[in-house]
């Protein structure tokens, strides 16, 4: 029978597990493998590519990673210097991530109702471990994001990066700027304190004056606008800043606007790559080299 | 000089971003323009020396033959991004530990805050309310700001300065943006935060915010200066003045667009729609400082008064 003839080779496999020598040898193999964890199938299945400093591995390290794959493999050698981009776009995105993170944590402790909202903030400040830090960080990050978004716009303007072929991405950026401001503004009401209440009252009162669509705006009354059916009513879910306004601000703030912003961000980052990556620093063009536009 | 009042305004936790803005904006303006002027010097050299223009790599950054034009993202960019997140996180941590987010009393519709202010980034719009009715300051102007910003790439026909800092190749664009963004937007935000006190009254920095301050300003409509009566006469007069303003600022804008040989060259490339849109946006932009001067210096309330709306 073939099994009986089989003596030497098969005993190296686990079939010979009742042989102490084979078990010892197997154990040694496994121990050796522990010394080089990067050679194991477990490691390879997770990381897929080598992480040495060969150009191929560096390229694959970026391209085969889902979190990094929005980057190109290589970029303009002068673009990595801080003085060109000021890093404001990237920092804005990082602040958005921080805001999402702290925001979700805050949602665990917050009810968007008139009875509970303010008490939730007090609870957060005095009883929740690190609750005060959490709320502070959410607020200051929001302020910081507005600053970085403004400065990002300023840099993009100064470097003329909105010019062909990046015109559309500039438009997407303007929409993201508006969404950033709206995100911050809708969050202002949520603590349901005097500061937020009056800021939102002042802010939404302007909507009364919308031409045609507001009850105090030019031609508003002539088009049948009253405090109970105009655009301000739609924003607040009522004629005053009250429970419905709180709920609406909450939903805009936590669901709708972040959703829009994330969508536009996807387009924004995608278009950076599709429009040829970061705009510069590119070689300077001279006045004598201007070509006549095609008509 | 009430230093305490000044400190009280500046040290308000919610006003910290304004203080940061007042430091960062001048810094980054200088930082950007410094590179623009450095590039401009190289541009001047290249314009003067066509031979040099043929061989030069056309950047102020150093470059030698044989150097790669591109570097790997891993690690040269990713390490910077990682460092940036670490630094930003550290700043946020320190900021959040040292300063508490404000929390006032529970919302109370029957107790008006004085001054009741919008969040700091909208204070430019709230300050605009002094000069324009809410339908302009709160609706038309913000809409035009957004439309105008989106329109920038589509009306700027100047192909120079794409992807590098320069001042000399884009003088008009840079001046317009700095005027609109820094002077009209950021300075208005700063005025709204630091200068406007109780009753939205003007308090110079260091002046005490006096809640009982009364100012007897007699703001008059423009037609009252000439003593007109009658709805139609007033409306016609206002329309005429407004028309004159539009004509003058359109003329001024056109002068600017045809000021130099280069400006004329760019204007020649523009389509009629581009030109008209640019004029509309410029006239709207100029109308803000014009109305500010009319209001603050000449105490004019409205220029155009009609039964339906006033401007």
């Amino acid at each position: 029978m073939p099994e009986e003839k089989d003596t030497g080779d098969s005993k190296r496999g686990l079939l010979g597990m009742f042989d102490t020598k084979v078990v010892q040898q197997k154990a040694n193999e496994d121990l050796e493998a522990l010394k080089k964890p990067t050679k194991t199938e477990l490691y390879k299945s997770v990381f897929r590519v080598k992480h040495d400093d060969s150009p191929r591995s560096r390229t694959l390290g970026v391209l085969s990673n889902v979190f990094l794959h929005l980057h190109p493999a290589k970029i303009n050698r002068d673009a990595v210097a801080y003085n060109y981009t000021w890093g404001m776009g990237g920092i804005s995105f990082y602040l958005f991530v921080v805001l999402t993170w702290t925001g979700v944590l805050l949602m665990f402790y917050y009810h968007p109702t008139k009875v509970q909202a303010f008490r939730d903030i007090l609870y957060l400040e005095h009883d929740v471990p690190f609750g005060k830090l959490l709320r502070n960080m959410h607020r200051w990050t929001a302020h910081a994001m507005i600053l970085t978004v403004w400065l990002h716009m300023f840099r993009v303007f100064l470097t003329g990066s909105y010019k062909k072929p990046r015109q559309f991405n500039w438009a997407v950026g303007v929409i993201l700027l508006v969404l950033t401001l709206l995100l911050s503004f809708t969050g202002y009401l949520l603590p349901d304190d005097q500061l937020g209440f009056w800021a939102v009252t002042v802010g939404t009162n302007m909507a009364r004056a919308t031409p045609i669509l507001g009850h105090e705006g030019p031609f508003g009354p002539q088009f049948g606008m009253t405090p109970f059916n105009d655009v301000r009513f739609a924003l607040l879910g009522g004629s005053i800043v009250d429970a419905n306004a709180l709920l609406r601000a909450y939903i805009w703030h936590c669901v709708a606007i972040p959703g829009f912003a994330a969508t536009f961000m996807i387009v924004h980052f995608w278009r950076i790559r599709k429009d040829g990556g970061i705009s510069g620093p590119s070689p300077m063009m001279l006045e004598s080299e201007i070509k006549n536009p095609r008509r | 000089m009430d230093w305490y009042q000044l400190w009280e305004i500046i040290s308000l936790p919610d006003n910290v971003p304004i203080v940061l803005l007042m430091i960062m904006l001048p810094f980054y303006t200088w930082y950007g323009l410094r590179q623009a002027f450095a590039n401009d010097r190289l541009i001047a050299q290249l314009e003067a020396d066509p031979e040099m223009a043929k061989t030069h790599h056309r950047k102020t950054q150093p470059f030698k033959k044989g150097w790669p034009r591109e570097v790997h993202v891993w690690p040269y960019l990713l390490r910077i991004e990682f460092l940036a997140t670490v630094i930003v996180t550290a700043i946020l941590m320190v900021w959040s530990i040292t300063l508490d987010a404000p929390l006032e009393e529970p919302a109370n519709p029957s107790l008006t805050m004085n001054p009741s202010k919008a969040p700091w980034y909208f204070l430019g719009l709230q300050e605009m309310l002094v000069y324009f009715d809410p339908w302009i300051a709160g609706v038309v102007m913000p809409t035009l700001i957004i439309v105008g910003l989106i329109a920038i790439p589509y009306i700027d026909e100047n192909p120079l300065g794409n992807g590098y800092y320069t001042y000399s190749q884009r003088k008009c664009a840079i001046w317009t943006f700095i005027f609109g963004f820094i002077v009209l937007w950021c300075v208005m935000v700063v005025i709204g935060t630091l200068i406007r006190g109780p009753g939205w009254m003007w308090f110079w920095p260091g002046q005490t915010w006096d809640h009982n301050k009364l100012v007897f300003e007699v703001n008059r409509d423009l037609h009252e200066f000439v003593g007109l009566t009658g709805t139609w006469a007033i409306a016609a007069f206002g329309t005429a003045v407004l028309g004159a303003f539009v004509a003058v600022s359109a003329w001024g804008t056109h002068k600017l667009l045809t000021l130099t040989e280069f400006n004329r060259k760019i204007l020649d490339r523009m389509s009629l729609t581009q030109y008209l849109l640019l004029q509309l946006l410029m006239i709207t932009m100029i109308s803000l400082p014009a109305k500010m001067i009319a209001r603050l210096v000449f105490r004019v309330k409205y220029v155009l008064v009609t039964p339906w709306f006033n401007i």
Side-chain angles (χ1 to χ4, degrees):
Chain A
M1 290 164 80
E3 288 93 10
E4 285 172 14
K5 281 182 194 170
D6 222 292
T7 45
D9 282 1
S10 72
K11 285 202 173 170
R12 273 193 237 141
L14 212 54
L15 268 181
M17 70 168 82
F18 298 110
D19 187 332
T20 23
K21 270 187 184 172
V22 174
V23 173
Q24 210 170 18
Q25 194 193 335
K26 280 275 166 193
N28 277 338
E29 276 172 23
D30 286 0
L31 281 173
E32 282 303 308
L34 275 184
K35 288 182 189 167
K36 286 177 184 166
T38 56
K39 300 285 183 202
T40 59
E41 280 303 319
L42 178 66
Y43 181 92
K44 284 186 203 165
S45 74
V46 178
F47 294 101
R48 298 176 65 212
V49 290
K50 278 189 206 162
H51 281 183
D52 54 13
D53 61 1
S54 69
R56 181 185 141 83
S57 299
R58 283 179 167 177
T59 306
L60 286 176
V62 174
L63 298 187
S64 65
N65 182 311
V66 66
F67 300 107
L68 302 180
H69 83 284
L70 264 174
H71 293 92
K74 283 181 160 190
I75 53 160
N76 186 340
R77 64 175 294 124
D78 300 316
V80 289
Y82 181 76
N83 61 9
Y84 183 71
T85 66
W86 308 348
M88 287 301 165
I91 290 174
S92 301
F93 176 63
Y94 178 63
L95 294 178
F96 181 78
V97 173
V98 173
L99 283 165
T100 310
W101 183 253
T102 52
V104 168
L105 291 178
L106 284 172
M107 283 171 81
F108 282 123
Y109 300 99
Y110 180 81
H111 306 76
T113 62
K114 269 301 211 192
V115 179
Q116 278 167 294
F118 188 77
R119 292 175 192 196
D120 282 340
I121 307 298
L122 292 181
Y123 178 63
L124 198 67
E125 289 210 329
H126 299 289
D127 294 305
V128 176
F130 299 106
K132 202 170 202 170
L133 183 68
L134 191 62
R135 182 168 114 83
N136 290 350
M137 189 171 272
H138 195 71
R139 192 180 189 95
W140 302 141
T141 308
H143 284 345
M145 184 171 164
I146 288 169
L147 279 183
T148 56
V149 165
W150 285 5
L151 288 172
H152 176 58
M153 177 183 72
F154 191 39
R155 188 285 292 178
V156 170
F157 187 88
L158 283 183
T159 56
S161 304
Y162 58 83
K163 296 188 180 197
K164 197 179 172 182
R166 297 181 178 80
Q167 300 102 317
F168 178 70
N169 216 13
W170 166 272
V172 174
V174 173
I175 291 167
L176 280 170
L177 166 75
V178 176
L179 289 176
T180 306
L181 295 176
L182 288 180
L183 266 174
S184 188
F185 185 64
T186 48
Y188 223 70
L189 180 67
L190 299 184
D192 198 29
D193 65 340
Q194 280 285 69
L195 199 65
F197 177 84
W198 287 104
V200 171
T201 304
V202 169
T204 50
N205 271 350
M206 294 202 194
R208 286 174 203 234
T210 314
I212 298 173
L213 294 177
H215 72 273
E216 284 176 6
F219 308 108
Q222 286 87 341
F223 278 81
M225 288 301 152
T226 69
F228 306 101
N229 67 358
D230 66 349
V231 64
R232 180 170 171 274
F233 188 91
L235 288 175
L236 295 178
S239 59
I240 52 166
V241 180
D242 205 34
N244 281 351
L246 192 61
L247 184 62
R248 286 190 186 202
Y250 178 74
I251 292 168
W252 281 114
H253 185 74
C254 303
V255 185
I257 305 179
F260 290 133
T263 312
F264 277 98
M265 262 181 249
I266 292 170
V267 179
H268 200 57
F269 302 156
W270 168 258
R271 284 299 293 250
I272 294 173
R273 288 294 305 282
K274 292 294 146 184
D275 294 339
I278 185 107
S279 62
S282 55
M284 291 179 289
M285 190 174 157
L286 302 182
E287 200 187 319
S288 54
E289 292 160 354
I290 298 180
K291 291 193 187 83
N292 282 328
R294 268 183 272 164
R295 301 255 182 220
Chain B
M1 200 59 187
D2 187 349
W3 291 104
Y4 181 71
Q5 178 72 58
L6 194 63
W7 172 244
E8 218 174 31
I9 301 167
I10 290 177
S11 65
L12 204 69
D14 251 357
N15 285 349
V16 168
I18 307 279
V19 178
L20 286 178
L21 181 77
M22 290 198 299
I23 298 166
M24 287 169 89
L25 199 62
F27 170 76
Y28 278 107
T29 311
W30 167 81
Y31 197 46
L33 288 180
R34 192 182 65 137
Q35 295 177 69
F37 294 142
N39 284 344
D40 288 349
R41 283 192 290 276
L42 182 58
I43 289 169
Q45 268 183 311
L46 294 172
E47 296 271 15
D49 187 353
E51 279 308 306
M52 184 186 174
K54 273 184 200 165
T55 53
H56 197 273
H57 69 282
R58 297 197 176 190
K59 291 184 191 180
T60 40
Q61 285 87 351
F63 186 77
K64 280 184 185 151
K65 231 179 175 178
W67 284 6
R69 288 188 182 275
E70 293 187 318
V71 291
H72 276 284
V73 161
W74 178 291
Y76 298 106
L77 177 63
L78 289 174
R79 68 179 177 196
I80 295 172
E81 292 180 345
F82 177 69
L83 200 62
T85 56
V86 171
I87 293 170
V88 170
T89 311
I91 292 171
L92 289 177
M93 268 292 177
V94 172
W95 192 355
S96 307
I97 289 170
T98 49
L99 278 181
D100 282 342
L103 186 69
E104 305 274 336
E105 292 160 34
N108 184 353
S110 55
L111 184 68
T112 314
M113 296 257 288
N114 190 12
S116 59
K117 289 188 177 187
W120 61 273
Y121 39 85
F122 282 148
L123 285 182
L125 296 178
Q126 201 176 350
E127 172 67 11
M128 231 190 278
L129 279 174
V130 176
Y131 313 106
F132 289 111
D133 272 1
W135 68 276
I136 302 181
V139 184
V140 175
M141 284 292 195
T143 311
L144 278 177
I145 291 172
I146 296 168
V147 170
L149 281 173
I150 290 179
I152 287 175
Y154 300 103
I155 48 181
D156 184 357
E157 270 294 309
N158 180 0
L160 299 181
N162 185 347
Y164 53 91
Y165 290 96
T166 174
Y167 166 71
S168 67
Q169 293 184 333
R170 301 173 57 211
K171 283 180 191 164
C172 257
I174 298 229
W175 274 112
T176 310
F177 195 80
I178 284 187
F179 182 68
F181 175 60
I182 296 183
V183 180
L184 290 187
W185 183 258
C186 294
V187 170
M188 293 272 279
V189 167
V190 171
I191 290 175
T193 316
L194 301 186
I195 308 281
R196 293 297 182 176
W200 207 257
M201 277 190 234
W202 190 285
F203 293 90
W204 291 105
Q207 242 180 317
T208 313
W209 279 17
D210 179 2
H211 280 258
N212 299 316
K213 184 181 177 182
L214 284 176
V215 177
F216 293 99
E217 284 177 350
V218 185
N219 293 318
R220 295 190 293 172
D221 298 339
L222 198 62
H223 64 84
E224 290 172 31
F225 283 76
V226 279
L228 275 179
T229 49
T231 312
W232 289 108
I234 288 170
F237 171 75
T239 312
V241 174
L242 212 61
F245 165 76
V246 168
V248 168
S249 26
W251 177 79
T253 307
H254 189 83
K255 265 275 169 227
L256 198 69
L257 294 177
T258 51
L259 195 63
T260 64
E261 184 63 37
F262 181 69
N263 287 4
R264 285 195 287 275
K265 205 156 125 187
I266 300 305
L267 177 65
D268 196 41
R269 297 164 65 94
M270 290 172 76
S271 72
L272 186 63
T273 316
Q274 283 176 321
Y275 177 76
L276 291 177
L277 183 58
L278 178 60
Q279 278 284 14
L280 170 75
L281 295 170
M282 291 292 275
I283 292 166
T284 316
M285 195 163 92
I286 299 166
S287 73
L288 177 60
K291 190 74 194 282
M292 284 176 81
I293 293 169
R295 170 66 204 270
L296 293 175
V297 180
F298 300 105
R299 302 262 164 249
V300 175
K301 188 153 190 259
Y302 293 124
V303 174
L304 171 62
V305 177
T306 73
W308 310 282
F309 63 89
N310 307 315
I311 293 175

